[in-house]
């Protein structure tokens, strides 16, 4: 049967970069193999390097499962172009018009900005200058969509001006601001878990929750992405976006409905409710660190003060979470790859069982975002023997055991939603601005710190859980980081 899905052409700016290589092309290829793509589609890679179509296709040798590759790769076209060269955009337009003819009709055009963010302005300017952004050659601009990767700006001001530029040309419905963590199965499940199960909602507040921890640990370092990473740092790279979105799914209020704007409203509201950390308090509430050896990596400024690790203690000023600390940490070169949330409940064991030895921490709900996606509830139980002795045990659910499926990469979901024009799992401008407001204050505080002659960047050894200061952040509150 003929595949009725609408034809599309996706232009990837920065097609020889890391994102296209590791995420976008593999996700498109997998969707193709899963028959989720229309019969008619093309992907145009736009990058600076000189390359033929064939060489461009060969660039993705990393794809493990090559079944279907020769058919899929025929859809990949290369367009060499400097982002500052108008002629390259004009050539691109020719290619797009040819494809319109080939696919005979209404072709959705998707422009994916997968370059380092400093190129966004130039690309958008040239798209406007050549009318590419206005749907040149097509009768409606609405067939054009723009997809923007994080980091969306580098602080509140630049995020606002990027928005301004986008709004000059595009309507909100055409703009897809990607945070691929929103597409992760486990993060989407958080809402189902919290709001579809009546038993959690009554305890999901400051009367029962002692504190919340969010850990985002990666074993890898910066892996040749020095030029990008050194100008950004871990706070902008993953905290401003991924950590904020994980936090939003834990702390948001129940949305009015399960509809796009209701969900986005709830996310935006909770991010807005995060209490700002004033520059004078930066030392008290935030930690940053740099792994040893970072300064001698490729493309890194030898005096760089860029953090590869950060930990932040924050409060969400809603009635529900008033007074409950949230501890967030993210780092490169950590002991393992693991991303998870630990909701630590107030310990009540000692009320009755003090002299029988209560465990230090009692009930913890761990939501494992990756790997081993699942949820574990730690409870206290009596060991099976005559005398009373207590231990903690786990009640565990994993996606793999329960559903017998491997979790798909979030980019597959993200791309499908872009094709369908569904923006629920994409950032709205207000939530991004609230999160930048919070992060920009920290960045300002850090600038002040650097100027003080006493301050030195805390270092940590590769393969450890960050600098000592990160442990102190919790220890001074009588708490510890939980490992999962
Ligand atoms: C990206 C960051 O957004 O997310 C990377 O730029 C990070 O530094 C990556 O490694 C992690 O994504 P995932 O899906 O592999 O956990």
């Amino acid at each position: 049967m003929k595949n009725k899905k609408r034809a599309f052409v996706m232009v990837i700016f920065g097609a020889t970069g890391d994102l296209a290589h590791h995420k976008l092309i593999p996700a498109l290829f997998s969707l193709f193999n899963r028959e989720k793509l229309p019969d008619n589609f093309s992907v145009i890679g736009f990058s600076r390097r000189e390359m033929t179509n064939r060489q461009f296709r060969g660039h993705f040798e990393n794809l493990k499962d090559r079944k279907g590759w020769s058919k899929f790769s025929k859809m990949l076209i290369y367009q060499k172009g400097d982002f500052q060269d108008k002629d390259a955009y004009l050539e691109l337009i020719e290619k797009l018009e040819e494809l319109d003819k080939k696919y005979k009709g209404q072709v959705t055009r998707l422009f994916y900005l997968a370059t380092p963010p400093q190129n966004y302005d130039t690309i958008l300017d040239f798209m406007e200058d050549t009318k590419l952004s206005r749907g040149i050659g097509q009768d409606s601009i609405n067939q054009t969509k723009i997809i923007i990767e994080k980091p969306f700006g580098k602080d509140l001001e630049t995020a606002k001006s990027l928005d301004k530029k986008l709004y000059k040309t595009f309507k909100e419905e055409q703009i897809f601001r990607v945070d691929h963590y929103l597409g992760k199965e486990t993060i989407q499940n958080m809402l189902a878990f919290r709001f579809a199960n009546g038993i959690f909602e009554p305890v999901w507040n400051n009367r029962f929750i002692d504190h919340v921890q969010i850990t985002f640990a990666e074993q890898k370092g910066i892996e040749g992405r020095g030029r990008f990473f050194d100008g950004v740092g871990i706070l902008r790279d993953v905290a401003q976006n991924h950590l904020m979105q994980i936090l939003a799914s834990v702390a948001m209020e129940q949305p009015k409905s399960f509809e796009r704007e209701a969900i986005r409203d709830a996310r935006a509201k909770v991010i807005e409710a995060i209490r700002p950390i004033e520059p004078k308090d930066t030392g008290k509430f935030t930690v940053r660190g740099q792994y040893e050896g970072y300064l001698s990596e490729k493309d890194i400024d030898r005096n760089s003060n860029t953090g590869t690790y950060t930990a932040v203690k924050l409060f969400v000023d809603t009635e529900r979470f008033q007074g409950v600390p949230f501890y967030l940490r993210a780092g490169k070169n950590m002991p393992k790859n693991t991303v998870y949330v630990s909701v630590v409940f107030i310990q009540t064991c000692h009320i009755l069982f003090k002299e029988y030895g209560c465990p230090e921490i009692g009930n913890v709900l761990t939501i494992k975002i990756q790997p081993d996606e699942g949820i574990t509830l730690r409870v206290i139980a009596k060991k099976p023997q005559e005398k009373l002795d207590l231990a903690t045990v786990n009640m565990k659910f994993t996606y793999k055991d329960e559903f017998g499926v491997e979790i798909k990469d979030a980019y597959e979901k993200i791309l499908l939603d872009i094709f369908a024009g569904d923006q629920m799992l994409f950032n709205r401008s207000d939530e991004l601005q609230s999160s930048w407001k919070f992060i920009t204050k920290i960045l300002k505080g850090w600038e002040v710190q650097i100027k003080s002659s006493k301050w030195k960047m805390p270092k940590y050894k590769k393969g450890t859980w960050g600098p000592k200061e990160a442990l102190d952040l919790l220890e001074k509150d009588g708490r510890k980081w939980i490992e999962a």
Side-chain angles (χ1 to χ4, degrees):
M1 205 174 73
K2 223 45 205 135
N3 187 336
K4 287 269 185 283
K5 287 187 228 52
R6 192 185 167 106
F8 72 82
V9 178
M10 177 179 278
V11 178
I12 304 180
F13 290 100
T16 50
D18 204 61
L19 183 75
H21 199 245
H22 293 294
K23 301 282 191 186
L24 298 181
I25 300 293
L28 282 164
F29 180 36
S30 166
L31 290 173
F32 174 79
N33 277 337
R34 291 170 58 206
E35 298 181 7
K36 299 279 183 190
L37 299 187
D39 291 337
N40 292 329
F41 75 93
S42 293
V43 177
I44 305 182
F46 188 112
S47 259
R48 273 176 224 149
R49 267 187 241 177
E50 190 72 63
M51 243 194 250
T52 59
N53 284 345
R54 194 144 167 245
Q55 283 165 328
F56 179 54
R57 292 165 190 163
H59 190 67
F60 304 101
E61 283 301 325
N62 59 319
L63 296 174
K64 277 181 253 138
D65 181 4
R66 312 216 35 109
K67 202 173 121 272
W69 176 255
S70 65
K71 204 162 164 216
F72 171 78
S73 66
K74 287 200 184 80
M75 311 297 189
L76 304 182
I77 303 169
Y78 190 67
Q79 164 69 54
K80 176 196 168 345
D82 202 304
F83 301 132
Q84 321 235 357
D85 174 13
K86 186 168 172 181
D87 288 342
Y89 295 85
L90 297 177
E91 277 178 43
L92 177 63
I93 289 174
E94 278 175 29
K95 286 202 169 86
L96 288 169
E97 288 179 334
E98 273 166 35
L99 290 167
D100 278 356
K101 277 193 213 125
K102 179 172 163 196
Y103 296 146
K104 292 191 196 76
Q106 305 287 295
V107 178
T108 306
R109 288 183 187 163
L110 309 162
F111 293 94
Y112 205 121
L113 303 193
T115 67
Q118 56 269 32
N119 298 314
Y120 292 176
D121 267 3
T122 314
I123 298 172
L124 289 169
D125 283 343
F126 274 107
M127 282 183 69
E128 181 67 6
D129 186 28
T130 57
K131 307 240 174 359
L132 190 53
S133 54
R134 307 233 169 222
I136 191 163
Q138 293 193 334
D139 54 7
S140 163
I141 173 183
N142 294 337
Q143 268 133 246
T144 300
K145 294 188 168 72
I146 183 93
I147 304 145
I148 306 189
E149 264 295 328
K150 51 143 286 274
F152 190 87
K154 59 187 182 65
D155 53 21
L156 182 59
E157 279 319 300
T158 48
K160 278 188 182 162
S161 75
L162 181 53
D163 252 340
K164 215 161 138 196
K165 176 156 285 204
L166 286 165
Y167 284 141
K168 242 172 68 187
T169 313
F170 301 105
K171 287 183 279 187
E172 179 64 27
E173 290 71 34
Q174 294 174 279
I175 308 172
F176 290 76
R177 303 176 190 83
V178 176
D179 178 336
H180 75 283
Y181 264 66
L182 281 172
K184 299 242 177 209
E185 192 65 57
T186 34
I187 296 192
Q188 292 177 65
N189 182 43
M190 206 103 90
L191 299 194
F193 178 78
R194 282 187 55 198
F195 301 120
N197 298 295
I199 57 169
F200 294 109
E201 184 59 8
V203 296
W204 209 261
N205 55 51
N206 58 2
R207 281 185 299 132
F208 294 92
I209 295 177
D210 178 74
H211 73 281
V212 177
Q213 300 185 10
I214 301 177
T215 294
F216 186 110
E218 289 180 294
Q219 260 180 320
K220 63 181 182 192
I222 53 168
E223 300 207 304
R225 293 165 79 213
R227 199 164 303 149
F228 161 78
F229 191 86
D230 206 37
V232 172
I234 196 93
L235 189 72
R236 290 186 181 101
D237 185 33
V238 302
Q240 183 272 331
N241 32 71
H242 307 332
L243 288 189
M244 286 293 129
Q245 289 302 338
I246 299 174
L247 174 108
S249 56
V250 178
M252 69 160 70
E253 293 304 313
Q254 178 154 339
K256 288 208 181 77
S257 67
F258 201 70
E259 310 237 308
R260 180 185 77 186
E261 291 315 310
I263 303 274
R264 290 169 121 196
D265 283 347
R267 282 203 316 252
K269 216 161 165 192
V270 72
I271 296 175
E272 201 192 342
I274 300 174
R275 192 186 303 165
I277 298 175
E278 296 303 328
K280 68 173 173 37
D281 294 325
T282 313
K284 208 160 117 200
F285 288 98
T286 75
V287 173
R288 74 188 132 151
Q290 199 180 68
Y291 60 78
E292 291 173 359
Y294 175 75
L295 294 180
S296 45
E297 290 203 35
K298 189 165 163 267
D299 296 326
I300 301 298
D301 174 355
R302 297 293 164 248
N303 298 310
S304 173
N305 275 314
T306 296
T308 58
Y309 176 94
T310 190
V312 177
K313 171 182 171 182
L314 60 83
F315 290 93
V316 177
D317 282 334
T318 55
E319 210 180 314
R320 184 191 288 271
F321 278 113
Q322 199 54 248
V324 176
F326 283 71
Y327 301 93
L328 280 49
R329 60 176 169 168
K332 301 272 183 198
N333 268 318
M334 298 278 106
K336 54 182 176 177
N337 283 323
T338 179
V339 181
Y340 58 95
V341 178
S342 305
V343 180
V344 181
F345 289 89
I346 293 169
Q347 174 71 298
T348 52
C349 173
H350 58 276
I351 298 174
L352 203 56
F353 299 110
K354 197 166 174 201
E355 61 271 34
Y356 300 98
C358 288
E360 206 180 332
I361 304 176
N363 301 137
V364 181
L365 182 81
T366 302
I367 300 155
K368 196 75 189 293
I369 290 159
Q370 66 189 41
D372 309 322
E373 292 82 356
I375 297 178
T376 307
L377 179 62
R378 186 154 91 184
V379 295
I380 300 173
K382 176 190 170 300
K383 286 189 194 162
Q385 57 192 15
E386 286 76 27
K387 75 177 182 40
L388 184 69
D389 200 1
L390 302 172
T392 50
V393 293
N394 283 334
M395 302 204 291
K396 193 168 179 178
F397 140 74
T398 66
Y399 284 76
K400 206 165 167 201
D401 291 347
E402 232 24 73
F403 300 118
V405 290
E406 293 288 343
I407 300 287
K408 300 263 175 310
D409 191 86
Y411 273 93
E412 295 189 28
K413 170 74 180 150
I414 292 292
L415 289 171
L416 285 176
D417 285 359
I418 293 171
F419 302 146
D422 181 352
Q423 290 172 307
M424 186 195 279
L425 301 179
F426 294 82
N427 286 144
R428 208 170 57 187
S429 167
D430 54 345
E431 58 182 314
L432 275 176
Q433 290 194 9
S434 300
S435 115
W436 271 124
K437 215 179 198 165
F438 176 72
I439 296 292
T440 305
K441 273 231 156 103
I442 298 181
L443 290 167
K444 290 218 166 107
W446 284 358
E447 273 169 33
V448 177
Q449 261 184 348
I450 291 176
K451 287 193 189 116
S452 136
S453 55
K454 281 190 283 171
W455 188 81
K456 263 177 65 194
M457 171 63 87
K459 300 277 178 173
Y460 62 97
K461 286 204 181 332
K462 288 182 186 171
T464 66
W465 285 107
K468 183 185 161 300
E469 285 79 350
L471 305 182
D472 298 345
L473 183 74
L474 271 74
E475 267 168 24
K476 64 186 183 216
D477 292 347
R479 302 185 173 109
K480 279 190 185 139
W481 290 109
I482 293 172
E483 268 188 49

